[in-house]
């Protein structure tokens, strides 16, 4: 169906078709101020489609008809016109007296049928050469040709209308004339037929001779709502919307899926429960149906387009069916084309008529959209109703620009008395307000105050929303547009806002079937929501407006890139449309910033500074940026807490020059007065301190950022490598307002590590079982270990109690002790990492040493940074004993004192069984200390030594002084090769030994801390040790010795319990070396600055 631009915005009154012609009768759309009476308003202009013409032709011969045209009946060569006054006019060729004027003389102009004057005719029908009229009293008159009994009269020709006594008793209300038979519907909603029956078109179950006596069709099970007769087939619609057809079926015009002729009414099963038919029109070889959903269905021979030359231009096909060329054996829906490819078609068809050349359909004016479609009870909202078929004239702006006299003829839309009617049956409301046509198909009006009406009382008391139908009149309220469709019910609104069933979401196993079912459910929900939204857009919803607007926004911030879903808490009715919900982000420019460098980069300041000889005071008074408002679409929260929306993206370079707030509008136009503060940030993570930690312990990490905003939510997301298959973790973070630092606890991976090691062990055992079986088959023998039958260090005939004697037993014991020590050493090394401990080939860290985890920060729980800053899990640290790498310049340790030669034990004494204590090493502040890590050495900016400082006086126990952390770093240390011993002159000549290469090692090194002498707990009488002692007096040596023995012993400073760390958080103790402590010389008083060497901090 193609639109007819010639009839756009015309007031269509009559649509009629038959034979090979179709007529359209139009009235003036409005009654302008120049019309003295209603005569000009109701006089029709009639247009005709005939022959192969695709454009309508104006028929001026209808101008002689006085009164409003009610009906036009079309015969082969004559026309009948019925007015609302009950007068019948006829014109054309008087074949067999079908005009009713008497005789066979042609009548070129319309003249009233004198025989029907004063009869008050209400319905007329025309066949090829006969005519029928029905009066208000129910009398039936017929005239013209009756060779097949089509007039219902006994005679075969009547030149003037004659009373039909055989038909009148049935009290018929409408008639449809075919080529040689007639169908009629009675007041009792029954179908009767008479006339020709060569193809079973009378529906009596068999072929028969023609008859003028009406045949009652009781075979139709339901009451009949409408009948229509084609060339030789018949159709009828039941009051239940079902369709029955019978008669000739040469082109599939019966719609039964074949071309077999039917002698009795047959139900169209293909339309049952699919389409409810409201109207039906039968042409010569096809049938057209109009459904309750305003669709047009077609069956039979598809009529050719008038512009198509050489036959039918047919392209429609039924899927999977092989219909004859150019025919449809079952009904199929037609397409209503748009008047423009860029416009959407909102027309809803109200009527359709068919003739041999095609079909005409009519869409009545109706309101297809209301925007905004939500208004408060107090009124005052400017609303636009979009209506189809409104008269509108494009203004000529050149003529109306002010240079031409504006007293010219006004535009047509300015002369139309538009009225808008707000109507609701329950709760009751019926209010009419003035409107105005402001654009094509657009009427604008202001909603009234309905607070004192029954509807307003219900809305205010129940805090609900009620739909109100909108009707528009362009004739001052004489006629109104019809309601296009019913408003959505409460159940419809609930079905699209109900949250999904969370109980079944996590219990179902994923599969292709469940995925398809979920996809189908989502599609059905989306389609229902779209249909409900379309229904709700055609009505106006009256609701109780929140008095203050939103009270809280959650979360209260968003990144500059946008994409955050926020919730505005506002009390709203349980059910309301959400088409026009709008959230506006208001960006108010700041006047100044504390950061002057950043302020100079503001857009307005930067542009103003480019002005030559600009006024500095005026530039300083400018705001930093221009005001900005960004509206976004909102939707209702399914939990009923308010309105949700997605934050828009903004330019990150200007976010610092604004303060932000959000406002809410329920109708897209008027915003609440309350604006809620909001924050837009451009957050970036620059570093993690520390950025590495242990796999087995939690690590406290401080996040260094730029663009941070203090919010109520801080959290981090940890993203593990994809190959591990671990889900991302979201952990809480904390912001310390005193230090202005964000920190969180990096979790340990003990559980994941244990699972991974178990998995590797199972895989290793499985592999060992496979290859172990292969080894046994080859005759291999285990080499030893717990499963060995004999130790390689013992002979087969060695016995525990004798045999080779005690010497062999002692050797075996020594070998066993050595093996145990080796095993312990291997286990100790295995605990630190590698594959030397526990199960052979198993890494205690599960291969996760050096694992990099990306850390992302969020200030609203939704949007995380994407700076790709990672945290590294280092392997388990295995530290060796600390060693002194070097000393400061000028500091040389004293060599250990040797025992005097020839010194023997005291008389009667014996050699001591206690081994001598190793010498205590000594270092100075700034001495380089080094620790070799057998496992886990990684570059780190946060590595340090933790040293416990203790003091000792004489033979007393060590007293703790304090614990200090010393920054450390990785350095390559070269150890010189040992000097070979001098050659023995008595030994025979031998080649010189090959010199050894220096040993290069990567050590974790740090400088020894510096401690002020005053920090040591010296006795009050003790002189400073750094001061030079006075020269000896004249006293003898014995007196000097006694004085020295009487002086208190000095306080010595030592380092012990040394531990190393790569992140400054978790420490690994170093095993003791030759001595448990290292002596540390304190700083002399004149060198003490209170800061040591500048790198020592108290722990």
């Amino acid at each position: 169906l193609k639109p007819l631009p010639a009839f756009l915005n015309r007031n269509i009154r009559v649509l009629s078709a038959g034979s090979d012609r179709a007529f359209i009768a139009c009235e003036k759309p409005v009654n302008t101020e120049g019309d003295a009476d209603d005569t000009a308003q109701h006089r029709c202009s009639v247009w005709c489609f005939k022959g192969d013409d695709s454009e309508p032709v104006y028929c001026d011969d209808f101008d002689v008809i006085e009164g409003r045209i009610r009906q036009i009946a079309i015969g082969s060569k004559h026309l009948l016109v019925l007015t609302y006054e009950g007068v019948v006019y006829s014109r054309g060729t008087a074949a067999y007296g079908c005009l009713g004027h008497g005789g066979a003389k042609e009548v070129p102009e319309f003249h009233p049928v004198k025989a029907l004057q004063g009869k008050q005719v209400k319905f007329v029908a025309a066949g090829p050469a006969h005519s029928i009229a029905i009066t208000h009293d129910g009398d039936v008159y017929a005239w013209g040709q009756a060779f097949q009994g089509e007039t219902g009269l006994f005679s075969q020709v009547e030149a003037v209308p004659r009373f039909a006594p055989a038909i009148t008793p049935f009290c018929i209300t409408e008639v449809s004339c075919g080529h040689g038979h007639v169908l009629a519907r009675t007041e009792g909603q029954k179908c009767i037929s008479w006339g020709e029956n060569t193809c079973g078109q009378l529906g009596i179950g068999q072929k028969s001779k023609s008859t003028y006596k009406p045949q009652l069709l009781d075979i139709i099970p339901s009451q009949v709502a409408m009948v229509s007769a084609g060339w030789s087939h018949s159709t009828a619609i039941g009051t239940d919307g079902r369709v029955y057809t019978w008669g000739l079926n040469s082109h599939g015009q019966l719609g039964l899926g074949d071309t077999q002729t039917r002698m009795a009414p047959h139900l169209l099963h293909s339309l049952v429960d699919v389409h409810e038919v409201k109207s039906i029109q039968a042409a010569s070889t096809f049938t057209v149906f109009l459904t309750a959903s305003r669709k047009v269905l077609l069956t039979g021979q598809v009529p050719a387009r008038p512009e198509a030359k050489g036959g039918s231009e047919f392209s429609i096909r039924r899927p999977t069916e092989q219909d004859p060329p150019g025919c449809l054996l079952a009904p199929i829906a037609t397409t209503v084309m748009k008047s423009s490819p860029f416009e959407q078609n909102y027309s809803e068809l109200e009527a359709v008529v068919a003739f041999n050349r095609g079909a005409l359909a009519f869409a009545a004016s109706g309101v297809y959209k209301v925007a905004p479609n939500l208004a408060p009870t107090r009124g005052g909202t400017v609303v636009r109703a979009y209506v189809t078929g409104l008269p509108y004239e494009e203004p000529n702006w050149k003529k109306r620009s002010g240079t031409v006299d504006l007293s010219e003829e006004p535009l047509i839309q300015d002369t139309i008395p538009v009225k808008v009617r707000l109507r609701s049956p329950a709760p009751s409301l019926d209010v009419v307000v003035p409107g105005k046509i402001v654009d094509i198909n657009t009427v604008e009006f202001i909603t009234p105050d309905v607070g004192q009406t029954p509807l307003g009382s219900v809305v205010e008391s129940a805090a609900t929303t009620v739909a109100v139908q909108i009707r528009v009149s362009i004739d001052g309220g004489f006629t109104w547009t019809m309601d296009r469709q019913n408003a959505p019910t409460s159940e419809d609104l609930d079905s699209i806002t109900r949250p999904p069933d969370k109980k079944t979401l996590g219990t179902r196993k994923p599969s292709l079937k469940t995925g398809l079912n979920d996809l189908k459910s989502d599609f059905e929900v989306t389609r229902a929501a779209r249909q409900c939204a379309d229904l709700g857009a055609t009505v106006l919803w009256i609701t109780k407006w929140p008095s203050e607007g939103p009270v809280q926004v959650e979360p209260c911030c968003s990144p500059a890139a946008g994409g955050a879903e926020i919730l505005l808490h506002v009390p709203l009715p349980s059910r309301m449309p959400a088409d026009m919900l709008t959230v506006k982000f208001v960006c108010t420019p700041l006047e100044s910033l504390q950061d002057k460098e950043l302020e100079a980069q503001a857009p307005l300041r930067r542009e103003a500074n480019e002005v030559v000889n600009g006024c500095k005071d005026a530039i300083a008074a400018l705001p930093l940026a221009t005001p900005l408002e960004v509206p976004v679409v909102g939707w209702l929260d399914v939990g009923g807490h308010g309105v949700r929306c997605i934050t828009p993206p903004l330019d990150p370079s200007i976010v610092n020059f604004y303060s932000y707030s959000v406002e809410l509008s329920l109708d897209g136009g008027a915003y609440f007065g309350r604006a809620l503060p909001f924050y837009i940030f451009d957050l970036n993570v620059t570093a993690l301190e520390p950025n590495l930690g242990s796999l087995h312990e939690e690590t406290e990490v401080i996040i260094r950022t730029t663009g941070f905003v203090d919010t109520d939510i801080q959290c981090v997301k940890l993203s593990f490598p994809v190959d591990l298959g671990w889900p991302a973790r979201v952990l809480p973070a904390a912001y310390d307002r005193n230090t202005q630092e964000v920190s969180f606890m990096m979790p340990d991976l003990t559980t994941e590590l244990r699972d991974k090691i178990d998995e590797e062990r199972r895989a290793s055992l499985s592999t060992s079982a496979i290859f172990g079986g292969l080894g046994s088959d080859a005759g291999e023998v285990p080499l030893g270990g717990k499963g060995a039958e004999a130790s390689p260090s013992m002979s087969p005939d060695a016995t525990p109690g004798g045999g080779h004697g005690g010497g062999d037993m002692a050797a075996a014991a020594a070998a066993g002790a050595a093996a145990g020590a080796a095993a312990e050493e291997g286990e100790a090394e295995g605990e630190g990492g590698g594959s030397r401990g526990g199960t052979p080939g198993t890494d205690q860290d599960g291969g996760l040493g050096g694992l990099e985890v990306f850390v992302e920060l969020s200030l609203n729980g939704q949007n995380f940074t994407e700076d790709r800053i990672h945290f590294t899990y280092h392997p388990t640290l295995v530290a060796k004993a600390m060693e002194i790498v070097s000393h400061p310049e000028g500091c040389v340790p004293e060599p250990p004192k040797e025992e005097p030669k020839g010194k023997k034990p005291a008389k009667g004494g014996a050699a001591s069984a206690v081994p001598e204590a190793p010498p205590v090493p000594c270092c100075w502040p700034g001495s380089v200390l080094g620790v070799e890590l057998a496992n886990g050495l990684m570059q780190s900016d946060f590595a340090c030594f933790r040293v416990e400082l203790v003091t000792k006086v004489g033979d007393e126990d060590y007293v703790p002084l304090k614990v200090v952390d010393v920054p450390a770093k990785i350095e390559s240390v070269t150890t010189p090769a040992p000097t070979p011993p001098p050659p023995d002159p008595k030994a025979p000549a031998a080649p010189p030994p090959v010199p050894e290469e220096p040993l290069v090692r990567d050590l974790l090194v740090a400088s020894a801390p510096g401690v002020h002498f005053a920090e040591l707990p010296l006795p009050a009488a003790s002189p400073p040790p750094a001061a030079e002692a006075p020269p000896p007096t004249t006293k003898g040596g014995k007196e000097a010795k006694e004085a020295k023995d009487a002086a208190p012993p000095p306080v010595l400073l030592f380092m012990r319990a040394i531990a190393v760390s790569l992140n400054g958080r978790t420490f690994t103790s170093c095993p003791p070396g030759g001595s448990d402590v290292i002596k540390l010389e304190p700083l002399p008083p004149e060198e003490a600055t209170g800061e040591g060497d500048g790198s020592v901090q108290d722990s």
Side-chain angles (χ1 to χ4, degrees), residues 139-277:
D139 295 335
V140 179
Y141 293 85
W143 62 97
Q145 174 186 307
F147 295 160
Q148 308 295 336
E150 50 263 47
T151 60
L153 301 173
F154 180 79
S155 59
Q156 293 186 350
V157 175
E158 292 291 345
V160 293
R162 300 296 183 184
F163 178 74
I167 303 175
T168 301
F170 286 94
C171 300
I172 63 175
T173 57
E174 65 174 284
V175 176
S176 179
C177 298
H179 181 265
H181 75 290
V182 180
L183 296 180
R185 184 177 69 91
T186 68
E187 289 183 354
Q189 295 184 325
K190 295 293 183 179
C191 179
I192 61 175
S193 61
W194 65 91
E196 186 180 4
N197 193 32
T198 56
C199 298
Q201 56 263 49
L202 296 187
I204 58 177
Q206 61 183 358
K207 294 181 180 180
S208 65
K209 294 182 178 180
S210 303
T211 178
Y212 70 92
K213 296 181 180 180
Q215 306 295 313
L216 180 62
L217 301 183
D218 291 331
I219 192 173
I220 299 178
S222 64
Q223 293 180 325
V224 177
M226 184 178 181
V227 293
S228 181
W231 178 267
S232 293
H233 74 283
S234 304
T235 62
I237 304 175
T239 54
D240 55 0
R242 298 190 175 190
V243 179
Y244 302 88
T245 59
W246 62 96
L248 183 64
N249 195 24
S250 58
H251 295 81
Q253 55 264 45
L254 300 186
L256 297 174
D258 54 33
T259 57
Q260 181 180 355
T261 299
R262 302 300 196 278
M263 302 297 171
H266 279 64
L267 173 66
L268 266 68
H269 292 278
S270 61
L271 301 183
V272 176
D273 298 331
V274 179
H275 295 286
E276 180 183 356
V277 179

Side-chain angles (χ1 to χ4, degrees), residues 62-83:
F62 285 84
D63 295 342
V64 300
I65 297 177
E66 298 179 358
R68 299 168 58 195
I69 297 177
R70 180 175 184 175
Q71 189 181 359
I72 300 175
I74 306 166
S76 295
K77 297 182 179 180
H78 75 288
L79 295 176
L80 300 179
V81 175
L82 173 65
T83 66

Side-chain angles (χ1 to χ4, degrees), residues 82 157 167 270 439 530 728 736 787 799 839 1080:
L82 173 65
V157 175
I167 303 175
S270 61
D439 203 346
R530 185 67 265 170
D736 190 340
T799 59
T839 304
L1080 177 63

Side-chain angles (χ1 to χ4, degrees), residues 936-947:
L937 182 62
M938 298 180 65
Q939 187 66 41
S940 172
D941 297 333
F942 308 97
C944 65
F945 290 174
R946 177 162 288 179
V947 180

Side-chain angles (χ1 to χ4, degrees), residues 200-455:
Q201 56 263 49
L202 296 187
I204 58 177
Q206 61 183 358
K207 294 181 180 180
S208 65
K209 294 182 178 180
S210 303
T211 178
Y212 70 92
K213 296 181 180 180
Q215 306 295 313
L216 180 62
L217 301 183
D218 291 331
I219 192 173
I220 299 178
S222 64
Q223 293 180 325
V224 177
M226 184 178 181
V227 293
S228 181
W231 178 267
S232 293
H233 74 283
S234 304
T235 62
I237 304 175
T239 54
D240 55 0
R242 298 190 175 190
V243 179
Y244 302 88
T245 59
W246 62 96
L248 183 64
N249 195 24
S250 58
H251 295 81
Q253 55 264 45
L254 300 186
L256 297 174
D258 54 33
T259 57
Q260 181 180 355
T261 299
R262 302 300 196 278
M263 302 297 171
H266 279 64
L267 173 66
L268 266 68
H269 292 278
S270 61
L271 301 183
V272 176
D273 298 331
V274 179
H275 295 286
E276 180 183 356
V277 179
K278 293 295 185 182
S279 174
I280 190 169
Q281 290 287 321
S284 58
T285 57
F286 67 92
T287 306
V288 177
F289 311 84
L290 179 64
T291 68
S293 59
R294 317 299 172 88
K295 293 182 178 180
V296 175
L297 309 180
L298 174 67
T299 185
Q301 185 181 23
V302 180
R305 295 180 181 176
E307 64 269 17
K309 303 299 182 181
S312 173
E313 186 180 331
F314 177 70
S315 60
I316 303 176
R317 293 284 182 182
R318 287 194 304 153
T320 70
E321 299 293 341
Q322 296 295 328
D323 292 343
C327 297
L328 296 170
L329 302 186
I332 190 172
T334 61
T335 303
V336 180
M337 297 180 62
K338 304 175 184 178
S339 57
S340 171
F342 304 102
E343 295 181 2
Q344 186 172 355
N345 192 352
Y346 294 101
S347 300
E348 290 189 348
L349 302 180
E350 297 287 344
V352 61
V353 294
F355 60 109
N356 296 345
R357 294 292 184 179
L360 288 177
F362 165 68
S365 295
V367 178
Y368 63 87
K369 184 179 179 181
V370 178
N373 61 342
L374 188 69
T377 55
R378 62 174 180 265
T381 302
V382 179
V383 177
R384 287 193 171 189
Y386 296 87
V387 188
T388 59
L390 285 181
Y392 184 77
E393 182 182 357
E394 288 287 350
N396 190 339
W397 297 109
K398 294 182 180 180
K399 294 182 180 180
R400 306 174 66 90
S401 60
T403 58
V404 182
D405 186 9
L406 297 181
S407 61
E408 61 183 16
E409 182 180 356
L411 300 175
I412 186 173
Q413 59 265 26
D414 296 335
T415 63
I416 298 176
V418 180
K419 299 291 183 181
V420 180
R421 185 178 183 183
L422 286 70
R423 181 177 176 274
S424 172
S428 177
L429 177 68
D430 197 344
V431 181
V432 177
V433 296
K436 181 179 180 182
I437 299 177
V438 295
D439 203 346
I440 300 176
N441 294 342
T442 306
V443 171
E444 188 175 87
F445 66 97
I446 299 176
T447 59
D449 186 354
V450 297
Q452 303 301 322
T453 63
L455 182 141

Side-chain angles (χ1 to χ4, degrees), residues 688-690 699-703 742-746 871 1065:
L688 302 177
E689 296 182 3
T699 305
E700 183 180 3
V701 180
I702 297 176
I703 306 177
V742 181
S743 62
F744 72 101
M745 297 301 296
M746 197 72 185
F871 180 91
R1065 299 287 194 272

